[in-house]
Amino acid sequence: MTKDPINILLVDDQPAKLLSYAAILQDLGENLITAGSAREALEQLLKKDIAIVLSDVCMPELDGFELAGMIRDHPRFQQTAIIFVSAVALTDPDRIKGYNYGAVDYVLVPVVPELLRAKVRVFADLFRKTRQLEFLNAELERRVEARTAELTQANAELERRVEERTRERETAWAQVQQMQKLESLGQLTGGIAHDFNNLLQIISGNLEILSRRLPDDPDIKSRIARAADAADRGSALTARLLAFARRQDLKPEAVAVPTLINGMTDMLRSSLGPTIEIAVEFEDSLPPIHTDANQLELALLNVALNARDAMPNGGRLQIAVRRENVNARSVRGLNAGEYVCVALTDTGSGMDEATLRRASEPFFTTKELGKGTGLGLSMAYGLAVQSEGALCLASRAGIGTTAELYFPTAESAAAEPPPRASSDITVAARSCKVLLVDDDPMVAVTAESMLESLGHQVLMASSGPEALNVLQGDSSIDLVITDHAMAHMTGSELADRIRGIRPNLPIILATGYAELPGAKESGLPRLCKPYCLEDLVSLMDDVLSRQNVKPPF
């Protein structure tokens, strides 16, 4: 590896001695610079980067000691190596004086060429190593600064990520808490709705029996009709509660959303009033969705009515339906897959963040007392989740609200709804023997009266084990109607036990909701509480016909 030559300054007032020094040092391969006086030497020092100064001691004007003192006083030359060469100042005090002025060596004349070359070579190598060390230190400092900058940037990025992750975690935790809150509310409202349905069954069933037995008095008929209407309104209220609790009895099917919305636009316009513009937009080639068409229609109406209340001075409701391919975790509560999104956007007053967080809770409302139940959005939320979809709300105060309902696409095409068959409710020409199982005595008595009003013979049991004992002692029973939510043995479990005894015996499951495991998987025909005589006749007709038992009506 080649070395760059360094500058060596030779200072002497005698040219012959300069020539001799140059001759001795030329084999080192360095740049040799000569100066005939101390003043000339100083000029060379200021012009060039001098590594070593080889100076005579005795010179006119300024001697070597004075030159060395001036060199050492200059900040640039604090580390410059100075070697004195003298044929006159040969004593120890002279050499001590030279070292005191900053010399690194003191050579006496006559000079031994090999010794002088060796000394100069040592200081030349030392100069190179010092420069190399300075370069390495500078490079190290540069690298340290660069690394420090990288670490500072990395630390800032790490802090940003930690803050972002902390925010995400706090957001996720808040969402989990909200979901747990909604789940707890769902369990509470579902239980309340189930018990309320039993009460409504007693009220509506007895009203229907009374309407058939009381004399044809217009006043009595009118009062019974008003009471029955109130029971129907209570039934609609429990249906919304069960929708939020995701425990309503859905009848999912393939639904063509454009057909459904186009079919309800006239109703929406009459419900929202002339001051609200309704705009509908459908994406091309929309697939059908899998949900309950009637409940979807009710959910859309509830959301639209909320939008109307948020626009008391008029506005615009945009209903847009689009296909959406959802990635995992991109929409809270949805699995990855293909969905249809029904988005309803209004230009109303909107909601602040605190209100938005509670908007889906049952009975939460910002409306005046008596202006709303607070169940519209909770019902839509429950329908979407129970249909394996989701409800997403976005709102800004003073700007408006967007409610997005996601539903999974259906595998089959949407079918036209079959026409309803009319039922002629008359007393049976031949009665059936029905085993009625219910652990609520008042519900059981009401159902017994309804069956007897149709001309059937009724046997009662208040639990699953009691019903099994009755069946084992009476082989003439034609039909079993059982409640589902009972202690010790559910209606589904009772049906499984009955099939082991009498495999072909028709069984109807009567319940307010199907929240217990096994209810949906049992395949039993469902009679949803509260039910009326028409519902009872229709389902009994269907079940007995499929079992090749001639219905008595």
Side-chain angles (χ1 to χ4, degrees):
M1 180 178 179
T2 59
K3 299 178 180 178
D4 294 332
I6 63 174
N7 295 322
I8 300 176
L9 178 61
L10 306 177
V11 186
D12 203 300
D13 59 332
Q14 298 180 23
K17 291 174 68 175
L18 290 176
L19 289 175
S20 66
Y21 296 154
I24 292 171
L25 300 176
Q26 65 181 357
D27 292 341
L28 296 178
E30 311 295 357
N31 291 330
L32 302 177
I33 302 170
T34 60
S37 66
R39 189 180 303 277
E40 188 178 344
L42 289 173
E43 291 177 357
Q44 293 292 343
L45 281 165
L46 294 173
K47 291 178 181 179
K48 299 177 181 178
D49 184 19
I50 303 298
I52 302 171
V53 176
L54 189 66
S55 176
D56 187 20
V57 175
C58 297
M59 294 183 295
E61 296 183 6
L62 295 174
D63 62 19
F65 294 145
E66 293 172 325
L67 174 62
M70 296 177 68
I71 292 174
R72 286 290 181 254
D73 288 340
H74 198 288
R76 277 180 54 191
F77 311 130
Q78 297 291 319
Q79 304 300 325
T80 302
I82 302 174
I83 301 174
F84 285 127
V85 181
S86 180
V88 177
L90 303 177
T91 65
D92 288 339
D94 294 327
R95 282 183 287 183
I96 292 173
K97 184 177 180 181
Y99 288 131
N100 288 336
Y101 273 95
V104 297
D105 210 339
Y106 202 103
V107 180
L108 302 179
V109 177
V111 174
V112 179
E114 292 80 3
L115 180 60
L116 182 60
R117 278 195 299 269
K119 289 179 178 291
V120 173
R121 184 183 293 113
V122 168
F123 290 108
D125 291 341
L126 180 61
F127 177 83
R128 286 192 175 91
K129 292 185 181 298
T130 301
R131 285 296 174 89
Q132 185 179 12
L133 182 59
E134 291 174 352
F135 173 78
L136 292 175
N137 285 337
E139 178 65 16
L140 180 60
E141 290 179 359
R142 186 191 64 78
R143 293 186 180 183
V144 168
E145 290 177 358
R147 184 58 178 164
T148 301
E150 291 177 1
L151 290 175
T152 302
Q153 183 178 0
N155 187 55
E157 177 65 17
L158 180 60
E159 290 180 354
R160 186 191 64 79
R161 291 185 180 181
V162 169
E163 291 177 358
E164 182 179 344
R165 182 60 178 165
T166 301
R167 287 194 299 270
E168 291 177 354
R169 184 176 180 181
E170 290 175 350
T171 301
W173 177 241
Q175 292 174 350
V176 169
Q177 288 181 313
Q178 181 68 7
M179 292 177 66
Q180 290 175 341
K181 180 180 180 180
L182 291 177
E183 183 65 27
S184 298
L185 287 171
Q187 293 176 359
L188 175 63
T189 55
I192 293 174
H194 176 264
D195 293 340
F196 196 44
N197 270 338
N198 280 337
L199 297 177
L200 290 173
Q201 179 62 55
I202 298 169
I203 296 170
S204 61
N206 282 291
L207 286 173
E208 195 164 9
I209 293 171
L210 286 174
S211 67
R212 294 167 61 87
R213 294 182 179 178
L214 289 175
D216 193 13
D217 185 308
D219 181 63
I220 294 177
K221 293 291 185 181
S222 174
R223 294 178 183 275
I224 290 178
R226 287 197 295 271
D229 182 63
D232 289 340
R233 290 171 62 185
S235 178
L237 179 63
T238 57
R240 293 186 180 186
L241 289 172
L242 289 172
F244 170 75
R246 305 188 297 282
R247 292 175 177 176
Q248 61 180 335
D249 183 24
L250 294 182
K251 297 177 177 61
E253 57 183 336
V255 178
V257 179
T259 302
L260 182 141
I261 292 178
N262 286 331
M264 63 182 298
T265 49
D266 290 339
M267 177 182 63
L268 287 174
R269 287 191 174 92
S270 62
S271 299
L272 302 188
T275 62
I276 295 177
E277 175 191 357
I278 299 176
V280 181
E281 180 181 352
F282 302 116
E283 188 178 275
D284 294 335
S285 303
L286 284 169
I289 64 173
H290 188 69
T291 190
D292 187 308
N294 293 328
Q295 294 297 328
L296 175 58
E297 187 174 283
L298 179 59
L300 295 178
L301 178 60
N302 284 332
V303 176
L305 292 177
N306 278 352
R308 177 201 64 187
D309 295 339
M311 298 182 287
N313 299 320
R316 187 173 189 269
L317 176 64
Q318 169 79 36
I319 303 176
V321 186
R322 66 181 187 273
R323 185 198 300 256
E324 191 84 26
N325 287 315
V326 176
N327 298 324
R329 296 191 297 274
S330 62
V331 177
R332 189 182 67 178
L334 285 186
N335 296 321
E338 186 172 293
Y339 295 82
V340 169
C341 176
V342 183
L344 295 91
T345 303
D346 64 58
T347 57
S349 57
M351 295 178 280
D352 57 27
E353 292 185 6
T355 304
L356 183 61
R357 283 195 297 269
R358 301 191 59 192
S360 298
E361 296 179 13
F363 302 114
F364 176 77
T365 179
T366 58
K367 301 173 186 177
E368 297 177 7
L369 186 64
K371 296 295 185 180
T373 61
L375 289 173
L377 284 177
S378 61
M379 177 266 174
Y381 166 82
L383 171 66
V385 174
Q386 193 172 0
S387 301
E388 298 183 354
L391 169 65
C392 297
L393 294 176
S395 185
R396 291 181 62 185
I399 295 179
T401 300
T402 297
E404 293 181 326
L405 288 159
Y406 288 85
F407 294 95
T409 58
E411 296 180 358
S412 58
E416 293 294 329
R420 291 186 178 182
S422 60
S423 297
D424 183 17
I425 305 174
T426 59
V427 176
R430 180 181 66 80
S431 69
C432 287
K433 183 178 286 189
V434 180
L435 174 58
L436 180 64
V437 188
D438 203 303
D439 59 351
D440 188 317
M442 295 182 66
V443 174
V445 169
T446 302
E448 179 186 24
S449 299
M450 295 175 73
L451 288 167
E452 288 178 345
S453 70
L454 295 172
H456 302 299
Q457 181 182 356
V458 182
L459 301 179
M460 303 286 290
S462 60
S463 66
E466 184 180 344
L468 293 174
N469 291 333
V470 173
L471 276 172
Q472 290 174 346
D474 191 339
S475 61
S476 62
I477 293 174
D478 300 308
L479 174 68
V480 175
I481 300 177
T482 178
D483 186 27
H484 178 64
M486 298 184 295
H488 307 299
M489 184 183 297
T490 68
S492 298
E493 293 170 342
L494 173 61
D496 292 338
R497 297 284 296 275
I498 292 175
R499 285 165 178 163
I501 301 173
R502 293 182 58 182
N504 297 321
L505 181 62
I507 304 171
I508 293 175
L509 190 68
T511 184
Y513 58 89
E515 78 284 9
L516 297 180
K520 293 183 179 179
E521 292 77 5
S522 64
L524 296 173
R526 301 284 302 282
L527 186 60
C528 296
K529 297 178 181 178
Y531 54 85
C532 62
L533 285 172
E534 183 179 353
D535 298 329
L536 185 60
V537 169
S538 176
L539 188 57
M540 287 182 65
D541 185 9
D542 181 63
V543 170
L544 294 172
S545 297
R546 281 190 277 122
Q547 293 293 335
N548 295 322
V549 177
K550 184 177 179 182
F553 37 80

